[in-house]
Amino acid sequence: MADLLDEIQLRYACRAFVEDQPVTLVDVALLLEAGRLAPSAFGLEPWRFVVVDDSQRAAVIRACGDQPAATTSAALIAIVALVDALDPDSDYVRDRLLAEARDGEVAPIAQAYRAFYDPTVIKAWAIGQCHFAAAHMLLQAAHMELGSCPIGGFDPVALAAALDLPADETPALVIAFGRCAYPAPPRRRKLD
Ligand SMILES: Cc1cc2nc3c(=O)[nH]c(=O)nc-3n(C[C@H](O)[C@H](O)[C@H](O)COP(=O)(O)O)c2cc1C
């Protein structure tokens, strides 16, 4: 079995996919499962994953500025941040914190979350949490030898409309998947 670090090395942002190579439903299910298992602060999992369907695809691609990674992708998954649900008094937070407490006391966690919660930054914070789920999906894709490209360069209003999002959700990231049309380009990281 490959070292995880080797698989991390395999991933790169692919900007052009081979167009007639589909991503199977099983692949999509595995990508979603990898995202679902991602960590989140307070165990709040403030995300929803939208597998972009044929009726949404053209508008989603337009919202992503017709980036080639999107236009050539075999599958697109949008990660959407839950915002209003993060109010400390919401049923959503109550349920998630009960799960986070497992069999222990929920009150200290609830108190800590209430002290932490700031409605002026919660949207950006929720988007940041979504990026953990995204990282899991990107690495799962690399493990399956699938290419991927995170796409944060989108028009959020157009993307929310394309995905028909309710007002209390905001798009965090789109990820394009497929068989990459070219091998990994050389890269230089800090400290290389
Ligand atoms: C949150 C996020 C948003 C990104 N948005 C875009 C994007 O809109 N378009 C794009 O081509 N690449 C996008 N990327 C990919 C980065 O440009 C890429 O990861 C970076 O250049 C490093 O290259 P590598 O992923 O091939 O190692 C994004 C990456 C992240 C993490």
Side-chain angles (χ1 to χ4, degrees), residues 11-13 15 67 131 149-153 173 187 189:
R11 187 214 56 79
Y12 57 100
R15 272 70 181 233
Q67 294 194 39
H131 288 170
C149 185
I151 301 178
L173 196 71
R187 71 178 150 207
R189 286 292 202 253

Side-chain angles (χ1 to χ4, degrees), residues 9-183:
Q9 293 274 15
L10 286 179
R11 187 214 56 79
Y12 57 100
C14 174
R15 272 70 181 233
F17 297 96
V18 180
E19 290 198 46
D20 55 359
Q21 294 270 319
V23 171
T24 66
L25 285 178
V26 172
D27 289 340
V28 169
L30 291 169
L31 294 167
L32 295 174
E33 181 63 355
R36 189 182 75 86
L37 293 174
S40 59
F42 296 99
L44 285 170
E45 302 168 34
W47 50 60
R48 193 163 71 79
F49 307 141
V50 181
V51 180
V52 174
D53 67 25
D54 288 347
S55 71
Q56 299 166 318
R57 183 176 165 92
V60 168
I61 288 173
R62 257 197 318 279
C64 294
D66 293 313
Q67 294 194 39
T71 59
T72 62
S73 66
L76 292 167
I77 296 178
I79 304 182
V80 168
L82 311 183
V83 182
D84 291 4
L86 294 177
D87 185 294
D89 293 314
S90 73
D91 291 346
Y92 180 86
V93 165
R94 192 203 55 227
D95 290 350
R96 291 310 317 148
L97 294 185
L98 278 172
E100 178 74 353
R102 297 176 178 94
D103 293 327
E105 282 242 359
V106 72
I109 304 174
Q111 196 181 6
Y113 180 62
R114 196 173 286 282
F116 166 82
Y117 177 79
D118 176 348
T120 65
V121 297
I122 201 68
K123 181 168 147 181
W125 182 83
I127 290 171
Q129 299 298 307
C130 289
H131 288 170
F132 280 81
H136 268 213
M137 289 189 198
L138 298 176
L139 293 181
Q140 176 64 28
H143 177 72
M144 300 188 308
E145 297 182 14
L146 255 189
S148 64
C149 185
I151 301 178
F154 53 73
D155 172 338
V157 174
L159 186 55
L163 297 170
D164 199 18
L165 299 187
D168 59 343
E169 297 181 357
T170 195
L173 196 71
V174 174
I175 311 180
F177 297 98
R179 300 283 158 203
C180 197
Y182 59 90

